[in-house]
Amino acid sequence: RRVALRPAAAAAHRAAGSQAFAKLTKVASEELKYEQEQYQTPPISQTYLKENPEWKLDNPEGTVTLTLTKETEGKTIKVQWQLTEPTDMGEDEEEDVSTEFTVAISKATGQTLTFFCSTIPQEENQRYMIGSVGCYRTKEEAANPMAYSGPEFEDLDEQVQESFDEFLADHGVTPMLCDFIEASATDKEQSEYIRWLEQVKSFTQA
């Protein structure tokens, strides 16, 4: 059962609510201003696509996923990854950034090879490691989150591993692409945070 507030109590309640709303507006505005002043687009995010125009980036606002797509030799190659929190390391700490991503290579028939990968620090021209490789008869099967994603990559014969590595490199998965994935993943998180602050500010001012 609701209890009616006395006029004085109701006024105090409204005043407290207004103060909380005003505080939220002020804090959100200050944080937004700071983040906008500090924000810088990573240089590789601006140059990679210009230097590699065959890749088309899909980066919708309000989502957590980024997608690169290109067509080559009758196959569609789709690289997907999600935003990641920027790393704030101390002076004496080594930065170990890793971003998970998938590379799906599909034929017109729908047959698809999907590589489940993650970036690693630069080591002898290797900027990523493969966790597993899924092989699917159709795009629908490849999109099924319950589909078998293949054996552990490190359990495969070394020649098979080497062949898959060469296959990926031949289809555009390079150290520079990994640099772009890592930079755009943290940039996406930052841009979405700024967008979120703008929405909070707009809500409190409405």
Side-chain angles (χ1 to χ4, degrees):
R1 185 171 64 89
R2 295 184 180 183
V3 178
L5 294 175
R6 295 180 179 179
H13 182 74
R14 287 195 299 270
S18 298
Q19 290 173 359
F21 220 61
K23 180 180 179 180
L24 179 57
T25 302
K26 180 176 181 296
V27 171
S29 298
E30 291 175 349
E31 178 70 2
L32 174 61
K33 182 175 182 295
Y34 173 80
E35 292 295 335
Q36 289 174 329
E37 290 174 348
Q38 297 297 312
Y39 176 74
Q40 291 183 337
T41 301
I44 192 170
S45 295
Q46 299 173 321
T47 60
Y48 181 79
L49 295 176
K50 292 181 181 179
E51 296 175 358
N52 300 272
E54 69 275 14
W55 287 110
K56 306 302 179 185
L57 178 66
D58 184 25
N59 180 16
E61 284 190 349
T63 66
V64 299
T65 302
L66 300 95
T67 305
L68 278 176
T69 307
K70 73 174 180 178
E71 306 286 336
T72 179
E73 300 177 350
K75 296 188 289 291
T76 300
I77 303 174
K78 182 179 292 186
V79 183
Q80 287 190 314
W81 65 101
Q82 294 189 343
L83 56 78
T84 57
E85 294 283 343
T87 305
D88 185 13
M89 307 296 290
E91 294 182 359
D92 298 329
E93 297 179 273
E94 293 185 5
E95 188 172 359
D96 186 11
V97 177
S98 179
T99 303
E100 294 183 351
F101 65 98
T102 61
V103 183
I105 303 175
S106 303
K107 294 182 177 181
T109 59
Q111 290 176 294
T112 302
L113 275 179
T114 301
F115 294 78
F116 299 88
C117 310
S118 58
T119 61
I120 58 175
Q122 183 79 38
E123 293 181 5
E124 299 180 358
N125 295 323
Q126 188 74 7
R127 274 289 275 122
Y128 64 90
M129 62 181 296
I130 302 172
S132 63
V133 183
C135 188
Y136 309 104
R137 292 169 298 178
T138 65
K139 291 182 180 179
E140 291 74 22
E141 184 181 344
N144 183 355
M146 302 301 292
Y148 177 58
S149 59
E152 291 291 327
F153 191 72
E154 61 183 13
D155 292 338
L156 297 174
D157 180 86
E158 288 188 4
Q159 288 188 332
V160 176
Q161 294 184 38
E162 184 177 318
S163 296
F164 273 130
D165 277 325
E166 292 174 354
F167 182 81
L168 268 188
D170 188 56
H171 285 78
V173 181
T174 63
M176 185 173 289
L177 173 62
C178 292
D179 292 342
F180 175 76
I181 288 173
E182 288 183 346
S184 59
T186 54
D187 182 62
K188 173 70 168 174
E189 196 283 333
Q190 188 66 14
S191 62
E192 288 299 331
Y193 177 52
I194 290 175
R195 179 175 176 274
W196 177 81
L197 286 171
E198 290 173 340
Q199 292 176 317
V200 171
K201 179 182 176 181
S202 175
F203 177 84
T204 59
Q205 290 181 333

